[in-house]
Amino acid sequence: MDTALFPATPSGLLDWLRREMAPYPGRGAMMLRIVVTTVLVVIISMTLQVPEVMVSAYMVIFATKENKVVTTSVGTLLIIAVTFAIGVTLLFYRFTFDFPELRIPAMALILFLGFFASRVLAIGPLGFGVGFVIAGTQSIAELMPTADYLVHWILWLWVAVTYPIALSVVVTRLMSGPTKPTPPGPPKPKKRLLAPDAFTNPTHVHFALKVTLAAMTCYILYSAVDWPGIHTAFVTCCFISLENIGATLHKGTLRLAGCACGGLLGFLSIMYLIPHMESIVSLAFLVGAVVVLAGWIAAGSERIAYAGLQIALAFYMCVLQSFAPDTDFDHIRDRLVGIVLGIVVTTLAFRYLWPEQPALQARHAQ
């Protein structure tokens, strides 16, 4: 599938967008499942006051796939990976909570191993997910007043992440029709767990080093200037990094465009709608309306799907900050600043450190 950068001319871009936004069989059904599950998650989390509502809502669009078989498989693997990663990060904190001189090198090592695994393992996204969750949860130690509070927050984070994934699987299975049997074809060759050149091809190590350097550079920068609101720089470095500079820039552009769109929708909602909302029902309708757009884009091809996830996440960061209406615009500013910083640092790392030749097809990673 062609994953080239966007067309250079305005007319070409409009034609490209028209093709990418066109309906096709199954796209509307997937979007509807995302909307229904997201609305349920918002109502449940707001009613029971499950923290990190925006994370819970995002996990729905992240975990919902094109059919119930893939959604079930992905959801099961995600829950296993998150559970394992949360257990490991709690174990690590026994040794790193009060010792940044241990925690920061440990974060770098975990990121390196996670991204190396994403390149050499057949289940690479699982390796990435475990590494990112461990490193990401280790990066928030400075924000926690006590170790007890940290443990409490991390355990609630596990709940906030896993229950929406499980609910996505249930809703997808209930709303999907029977899976059509596929005619038998020639037997597929068995896929090796480990790439044949895992320990002989230096590009795997170079890739992991570049991502680790970019992410840790951003972490050190926002920690040094005491601006934790731009922590999205760390996340951006991890999530946009692909095999070559062209694919990475494409994904970075989708992330920036999606976040700008979602941030604008969040800004307008905070400005004109949220001050007049007094119930969970009105909030659920607002979230559902935006998720129609985000879910439709996320259900598209890999050339545009990532932008849908970012529209949703940026919007959630604006309107699902707490259990009460919030009119704080600083979150929108900080998030966009962090994204731009992450894209710039990642681009520099991939441009000047062991640049790889563009592949014929960019992998739809993470």
Side-chain angles (χ1 to χ4, degrees):
M1 182 176 294
D2 181 18
T3 53
L5 293 175
F6 306 107
T9 63
S11 60
L13 180 60
L14 289 175
D15 291 339
W16 183 85
L17 283 173
R18 191 178 299 111
R19 291 194 304 270
E20 292 299 327
M21 295 296 287
Y24 64 81
R27 188 172 191 174
M30 180 176 170
M31 180 269 291
L32 182 60
R33 296 197 303 271
I34 292 172
V35 173
V36 170
T37 312
T38 302
V39 169
L40 287 175
V41 165
V42 170
I43 293 174
I44 292 171
S45 293
M46 287 293 184
T47 303
L48 302 180
Q49 294 200 346
V50 179
E52 301 298 333
V53 184
M54 60 186 178
V55 175
S56 298
Y58 179 73
M59 292 312 300
V60 173
I61 196 170
F62 186 80
T64 302
K65 304 301 178 184
E66 59 270 18
N67 59 59
K68 60 184 179 183
V69 175
V70 179
T71 301
T72 302
S73 301
V74 170
T76 302
L77 287 175
L78 283 174
I79 291 174
I80 293 173
V82 170
T83 302
F84 175 76
I86 292 296
V88 172
T89 202
L90 287 174
L91 177 63
F92 276 24
Y93 265 127
R94 292 193 60 183
F95 308 100
T96 64
F97 180 71
D98 291 319
F99 302 98
E101 66 274 15
L102 296 178
R103 186 175 66 255
I104 294 175
M107 286 171 55
L109 177 61
I110 292 164
L111 278 179
F112 172 81
L113 293 176
F115 278 95
F116 180 77
S118 75
R119 289 276 294 227
V120 303
L121 292 180
I123 51 173
L126 191 62
F128 158 79
V130 171
F132 173 74
V133 171
I134 296 174
T137 50
Q138 290 287 313
S139 70
I140 47 86
E142 291 84 358
L143 305 178
M144 300 297 168
T146 65
D148 288 342
Y149 185 90
L150 173 66
V151 173
H152 181 81
W153 181 84
I154 289 178
L155 291 177
W156 268 115
L157 179 65
W158 178 84
V159 175
V161 171
T162 55
Y163 102 80
I165 298 174
L167 186 60
S168 299
V169 173
V170 172
V171 171
T172 298
R173 297 190 72 88
L174 290 176
M175 295 184 63
S176 299
T179 304
K180 296 181 180 180
T182 56
K188 296 181 180 180
K190 291 185 178 180
K191 197 171 184 179
R192 298 180 58 171
L193 178 62
L194 195 66
D197 63 348
F199 301 107
T200 58
N201 187 348
T203 59
H204 302 317
V205 174
H206 294 165
F207 172 76
L209 284 174
K210 286 186 288 189
V211 182
T212 301
L213 178 62
M216 294 307 298
T217 298
C218 289
Y219 170 76
I220 292 171
L221 280 175
Y222 69 70
S223 298
V225 299
D226 193 24
W227 194 357
I230 63 171
H231 66 277
T232 45
F234 179 89
V235 179
T236 296
C237 293
C238 296
F239 273 81
I240 70 171
S241 299
L242 295 173
E243 287 88 342
N244 58 76
I245 184 65
T248 299
L249 281 175
H250 180 74
K251 199 170 185 182
T253 303
L254 289 177
R255 181 172 174 83
L256 185 60
C259 287
C261 179
L264 177 61
L265 292 173
F267 174 85
L268 294 175
S269 298
I270 292 173
M271 195 77 177
Y272 297 108
L273 298 177
I274 289 181
H276 306 289
M277 292 183 177
E278 298 179 353
S279 68
I280 297 176
V281 174
S282 57
L283 177 62
F285 273 110
L286 172 62
V287 172
V290 174
V291 175
V292 168
L293 171 64
W296 183 264
I297 296 175
S301 74
E302 65 181 35
R303 292 182 296 268
I304 197 173
Y306 190 66
L309 276 69
Q310 297 310 307
I311 290 173
L313 183 57
F315 178 76
Y316 299 155
M317 289 281 290
C318 298
V319 304
L320 299 179
Q321 299 173 23
S322 62
F323 300 117
D326 197 333
T327 57
D328 185 3
F329 295 110
D330 290 347
H331 290 83
I332 304 175
R333 177 204 63 196
D334 292 352
R335 176 168 176 76
L336 290 176
V337 170
I339 291 169
V340 172
L341 175 62
I343 292 173
V344 170
V345 174
T346 304
T347 301
L348 292 175
F350 275 74
R351 174 66 178 83
Y352 294 106
L353 298 176
W354 308 292
E356 298 183 42
Q357 294 299 318
L360 294 177
Q361 178 179 351
R363 186 175 61 194
H364 185 47
Q366 292 90 51

